[in-house]
Amino acid sequence: MSVIPGITVCISNEKAKPLGGHVFELNAIGSQPGYCRLQLHHLADEECLYFKACQSSIKDLIEEQNDGNFLSSDKFVNVFVNLGKRLGFCVPSHVRHGPCAMSEVNCTLKRYKGWGKGEKDWAHGLVCEEWPIGANEWFKRKRHDWPTAEIQEIIKKQSCHVVPVGDRISLLHSLQWRISFLLQERELVWSFNDTQLQCYLLMKKLMKKYIEPAVSDELSSYHLKTIVFWQSEEGGMAIWKSENLLQCISDCFQRVLDCIENEALEHYFHRQRNLLANKLKEGNDRKFVLRKIKKIMDNVQTCVLECLHEMEDLAAMLTKSRTSETNFLQQCQNLPALNELYSATEEAHNTINMHRFVFDICLSSFKYDEKEIAGTIATDLETLDEKIKLKDTSVMGMLYVAAWSFYSMRVGMIKYRYMKAPTNPDINQEYIVNHPVTIDVAFKRGMLIDQMSGKLYLASINITEGNFATSNQIVLSVLKTDNILVYPGLCSLHRHIQLTLQGIPKQGPNIRKNKEGKMPHAFDVVFSPNDIYCVPIPVGYECSVTQLNLEEKYYDSILFHPCVYAQFLLCFGYHKIGNQEEFQNFLEQLQSTVEDIVNGYQRYRAYNLLGYCYYVSGNYQHAFSCFRESITIANSKMQNAAIYHLCILLMRILTEMKELSLNKAVVKFSHNVGI
């Protein structure tokens, strides 16, 4: 949460009078506990710097009501949701998400279900001059030994805030703000011991696995966190020990049950606010949640094990051992799956975070239209060679070189496009096309970015040039390698790719080291909507339909999992060569790889490539299934090439039916005339 400077919220007129800047009074009349309106007390003579930077004015956000002038929470959020439209390409696009303006780490990232997954919530709050009266009870509350006196003193000195979201059932919701104790709650979570934290995280996993798929948006992680707060305060810390973890989970879920049945869960800091107000009102949902929670409590050991790495084998083994820990551990020694798990070490986490940061830097280049980026390229080509040749082995040095490697590959793409499509020239085209840095040199530099995608871009160019055998050789050299790669991309939640000399890559959830202890990486394959001349036909369809979205096309990119794209290129190349045996072999592998992808951004594009391969093979039924799945999993608001694939498929089927009907007519006519 970012706190807007220069704006203060007070609980009384007396408190507001001496303050400078923009000042509002907290008005709770007509609002449920925990919500309020912000009534204008006075505005500063000058606009605060934050709103100046956003090219906005707080005066435009104030609405006149019968009982005063109030700051609109809806208009406030929209200032930041629409920031990209006002400031242009330098700011990513946002969408409304509760009190937040949600963007991605950069604008190329998805809006797919799940994950946080590249998503970033930007909450902009206002500081309260003091705690609201209804929350002062927290200071006087009797406790055992949690939170400690030291933590209590820290919390007492922290400010609370208001965030722009109203009570959804109130007629005043567009003007209402919610009182937030974000800083205080963060302090409490930081004070959790290992057992408290493990209990909270495991409860989240259990809810996500057993309840959220059927009943979503009713119980949240915030409810669970509040439950742990109350259990810790009222029961004390004596039970929060590692040997009592399962009991703590059961106790917390019992409290969840009691709260649901009583239709009440008090906010930890502001007790008058009921966190279950207007939740689980639908009778069937309520019964389902109660039944599932009771089932979790009855089988808490088994359910927890099922949530850990989704290893149902462990849960089955626990049941088989009749919950005897000794028998269970003895049987686990014979479970092969345990030998496949690698601990997520600090080094591994640092590595994946570093590579993800590099990938985010690379993707950020797609925030710019070619009209902006081409001018930058034109001035930077002379220094690019020096950047790539840096031998800095520090982390920042590696990040720097990797980002410039991707930049170099984009130079090659743009230069290739200018050469293949000379229409609509701009002021930079002649300079870039005639510059001594050749396309081959640009792609050679670009291949340094990782162990897979760098070479796959070069293979794509060879495909468009008709060099299918060369493209196949490049892709096979990528796949037929004994290596384990960290995967920090967005197209799957798997985190490593294992390459083998047989050329069949395998994906896995854990970060793994290869035999030498190294952790090389593989990024997603990324294309611009303008790369139509640099890619095979079905990828060109993806570029074309993305361009149809005129508002978003310069803020979006086309991503493919590197294993999916590698196997697609082989299918495409072998089909063009006419080697049907190899084509069918890699088509089966492509099918398996697409199915093995776990969630991920733009997964529907992988199904489009798979469907195209089935289409050219003549398997129209499988092709139709792939395009249908693509439409099912894609955001309905997104342009999807599957629609165009289906149109082409339908026209092909109709043509063949017409030809078949004509042939039958000719045979019948020939038979009738005795030919």
Side-chain angles (χ1 to χ4, degrees):
M1 180 176 69
S2 298
V3 179
I4 308 300
I7 305 177
T8 308
V9 176
C10 297
I11 65 170
S12 66
N13 182 57
E14 291 72 20
K15 295 283 186 179
K17 286 180 180 179
L19 298 177
H22 303 321
V23 180
F24 295 85
E25 291 182 44
L26 191 154
N27 185 331
I29 298 174
S31 300
Q32 291 294 324
Y35 293 93
C36 63
R37 290 180 295 163
L38 301 185
Q39 187 169 3
L40 176 64
H41 186 277
H42 65 257
L43 295 177
D45 294 334
E46 291 190 12
E47 189 60 75
C48 64
L49 293 177
Y50 204 97
F51 277 94
K52 283 184 178 180
C54 295
Q55 297 182 7
S56 182
S57 172
I58 198 168
K59 296 178 182 179
D60 299 330
L61 313 182
I62 296 174
E63 293 189 9
E64 183 177 353
Q65 302 289 306
N66 293 334
D67 54 345
N69 295 322
F70 296 89
L71 183 62
S72 168
S73 55
D74 275 358
K75 291 181 179 179
F76 186 89
V77 175
N78 287 334
V79 168
F80 306 99
V81 171
N82 299 321
L83 198 58
K85 296 179 181 179
R86 290 198 303 275
L87 302 187
F89 64 84
C90 60
V91 176
S93 60
H94 293 71
V95 294
R96 177 76 183 265
H97 186 211
C100 305
M102 186 186 77
S103 71
E104 291 75 28
V105 177
N106 66 71
C107 285
T108 66
L109 311 186
K110 77 329 83 234
R111 296 183 180 92
Y112 68 88
K113 190 176 181 180
W115 211 89
K117 295 133 181 155
E119 293 174 345
K120 184 73 172 181
D121 276 340
W122 299 95
H124 296 82
L126 305 179
V127 67
C128 293
E129 189 267 341
E130 60 180 322
W131 284 33
I133 295 175
N136 287 333
E137 176 270 343
W138 188 87
F139 299 119
K140 307 170 185 177
R141 192 180 299 166
K142 292 183 179 180
R143 302 178 173 88
H144 287 277
D145 52 1
W146 190 92
T148 64
E150 181 182 1
I151 298 299
Q152 291 181 51
E153 287 302 315
I154 294 174
I155 288 176
K156 289 177 182 178
K157 297 176 183 178
Q158 292 174 328
S159 300
C160 66
H161 300 82
V162 289
V163 292
V165 62
D167 182 1
R168 61 183 180 180
I169 66 168
S170 171
L171 297 177
L172 301 172
H173 67 88
S174 65
L175 294 176
Q176 287 178 332
W177 296 66
R178 188 169 68 204
I179 300 171
S180 170
F181 295 86
L182 174 66
L183 298 183
Q184 293 81 0
E185 290 162 359
R186 183 178 64 179
E187 198 70 41
L188 291 177
V189 173
W190 283 350
S191 75
F192 278 175
N193 66 17
D194 288 346
T195 305
Q196 288 171 296
L197 192 59
Q198 289 164 6
C199 175
Y200 172 48
L201 295 177
L202 286 171
M203 288 179 69
K204 287 175 61 176
K205 281 182 170 289
L206 291 165
M207 292 288 288
K208 183 175 182 180
K209 180 176 179 64
Y210 296 108
I211 295 176
E212 285 186 12
V215 179
S216 60
D217 299 327
E218 293 294 316
L219 291 178
S220 68
S221 60
Y222 190 83
H223 293 111
L224 302 180
K225 180 170 63 176
T226 303
I227 291 290
V228 177
F229 287 164
W230 281 118
Q231 287 292 107
S232 300
E233 178 179 284
E234 294 180 356
M237 294 300 293
I239 193 174
W240 294 97
K241 299 177 181 179
S242 58
E243 61 267 26
N244 299 327
L245 176 59
L246 295 180
Q247 183 60 50
C248 291
I249 294 174
S250 294
D251 292 345
C252 286
F253 271 124
Q254 181 60 55
R255 186 163 191 141
V256 174
L257 278 179
D258 295 340
C259 290
I260 293 174
E261 290 174 345
N262 296 324
E263 300 183 358
L265 171 57
E266 294 176 329
H267 189 283
Y268 181 66
F269 285 100
H270 199 173
R271 296 187 77 151
Q272 293 92 338
R273 182 183 168 197
N274 181 8
L275 297 180
L276 290 183
N278 307 308
K279 295 290 186 180
L280 294 171
K281 293 299 184 181
E282 213 288 317
N284 290 333
D285 288 347
R286 179 187 178 88
K287 292 177 182 178
F288 174 84
V289 172
L290 290 172
R291 185 171 65 251
K292 279 292 184 180
I293 291 178
K294 290 176 182 177
K295 188 173 181 179
I296 291 172
M297 294 172 61
D298 291 339
N299 303 275
V300 64
Q301 289 176 308
T302 301
C303 292
V304 167
L305 286 171
E306 285 180 342
C307 285
L308 297 176
H309 307 293
E310 298 297 324
M311 290 187 64
E312 286 82 1
D313 288 342
L314 282 178
M317 191 165 291
L318 180 65
T319 302
K320 186 178 179 180
S321 64
R322 297 181 180 179
T323 68
S324 167
E325 293 183 7
T326 302
N327 293 338
F328 174 65
L329 293 174
Q330 289 176 346
Q331 292 185 51
C332 282
Q333 295 177 358
N334 302 319
L335 189 64
L338 291 179
N339 296 325
E340 297 297 323
L341 293 178
Y342 284 73
S343 61
T345 62
E346 183 177 1
E347 177 187 358
H349 279 296
N350 290 340
T351 300
I352 192 70
N353 289 334
M354 180 188 74
H355 291 313
R356 172 58 65 83
F357 181 64
V358 173
F359 192 46
D360 290 341
I361 292 175
C362 296
L363 289 175
S364 66
S365 66
F366 288 95
K367 290 193 296 186
Y368 302 93
D369 180 9
E370 300 300 342
K371 290 180 292 186
E372 282 84 19
I373 198 172
T376 306
I377 292 172
T379 58
D380 285 349
L381 278 173
E382 284 82 0
T383 60
L384 187 57
D385 194 44
E386 297 178 5
K387 303 287 187 184
I388 297 299
K389 289 181 179 178
L390 289 174
K391 299 298 183 181
D392 187 354
T393 58
S394 66
V395 172
M396 289 307 299
M398 294 167 62
L399 295 175
Y400 192 68
V401 172
W404 275 96
S405 297
F406 185 84
Y407 187 36
S408 179
M409 184 276 299
R410 293 304 309 161
V411 170
M413 283 288 192
I414 294 174
K415 186 165 185 175
Y416 183 81
R417 290 208 311 265
Y418 281 161
M419 294 178 64
K420 299 294 287 187
T423 57
N424 301 321
D426 61 42
I427 58 174
N428 303 299
Q429 180 166 332
E430 182 178 355
Y431 176 82
I432 293 177
V433 171
N434 297 326
H435 195 275
V437 174
T438 65
I439 293 175
D440 289 341
V441 170
F443 276 95
K444 184 177 180 181
R445 294 166 171 169
M447 286 190 294
L448 299 175
I449 188 173
D450 68 353
Q451 301 293 310
M452 288 190 73
S453 69
K455 292 183 179 179
L456 298 181
Y457 295 114
L458 183 60
S460 289
I461 295 296
N462 277 277
I463 286 281
T464 60
E465 289 291 308
N467 301 325
F468 305 118
T470 302
S471 174
N472 290 346
Q473 290 175 359
I474 294 173
V475 178
L476 289 173
S477 71
V478 172
L479 293 180
K480 292 191 174 184
T481 309
D482 185 14
N483 209 347
I484 296 176
L485 310 177
V486 172
Y487 171 68
L490 303 172
C491 292
S492 174
L493 298 186
H494 284 313
R495 282 293 157 253
H496 87 260
I497 298 170
Q498 184 171 4
L499 302 176
T500 65
L501 297 177
Q502 290 73 37
I504 304 176
K506 297 180 180 179
Q507 303 174 56
N510 300 302
I511 306 167
R512 301 174 61 175
K513 295 183 180 181
N514 61 17
K515 297 176 182 178
E516 291 78 26
K518 298 179 181 178
M519 299 183 72
H521 62 284
F523 290 140
D524 291 324
V525 180
V526 191
F527 294 109
S528 161
N530 299 316
D531 285 340
I532 296 176
Y533 297 98
C534 311
V535 294
I537 293 173
V539 183
Y541 293 165
E542 305 292 331
C543 298
S544 297
V545 297
T546 305
Q547 287 189 358
L548 293 176
N549 190 347
L550 299 178
E551 182 178 354
E552 297 288 341
K553 77 170 187 175
Y554 296 131
Y555 294 92
D556 205 5
S557 56
I558 294 97
L559 273 69
F560 297 101
H561 190 283
C563 295
V564 169
Y565 197 69
Q567 290 167 336
F568 159 73
L569 289 177
L570 290 173
C571 288
F572 193 95
Y574 281 119
H575 172 72
K576 290 294 185 179
I577 292 173
N579 189 333
Q580 290 303 307
E581 182 179 354
E582 289 295 338
F583 170 76
Q584 290 295 334
N585 177 38
F586 284 105
L587 179 54
E588 291 178 7
Q589 293 184 29
L590 177 59
Q591 170 79 47
S592 177
T593 298
V594 172
E595 291 177 350
D596 197 32
I597 289 176
V598 179
N599 295 323
Y601 174 47
Q602 296 188 3
R603 186 168 180 243
Y604 67 96
R605 297 194 196 274
Y607 276 102
N608 290 343
L609 297 188
L610 179 60
Y612 175 85
C613 292
Y614 276 122
Y615 166 73
V616 298
S617 73
N619 192 335
Y620 299 155
Q621 183 175 357
H622 277 60
F624 177 81
S625 298
C626 291
F627 299 139
R628 182 179 59 186
E629 180 67 15
S630 172
I631 294 171
T632 300
I633 64 177
N635 187 320
S636 59
K637 297 180 181 179
M638 302 176 72
Q639 299 285 351
N640 189 348
I643 301 296
Y644 299 90
H645 283 292
L646 284 173
C647 291
I648 294 170
L649 175 60
L650 180 61
M651 291 301 297
R652 179 64 180 174
I653 292 173
L654 291 175
T655 300
E656 291 188 0
M657 291 176 63
K658 184 177 180 180
E659 292 175 351
L660 180 61
S661 178
L662 181 61
N663 289 337
K664 287 182 177 179
V666 171
V667 171
K668 184 176 181 180
F669 175 78
S670 301
H671 177 75
N672 289 338
V673 299
I675 298 178

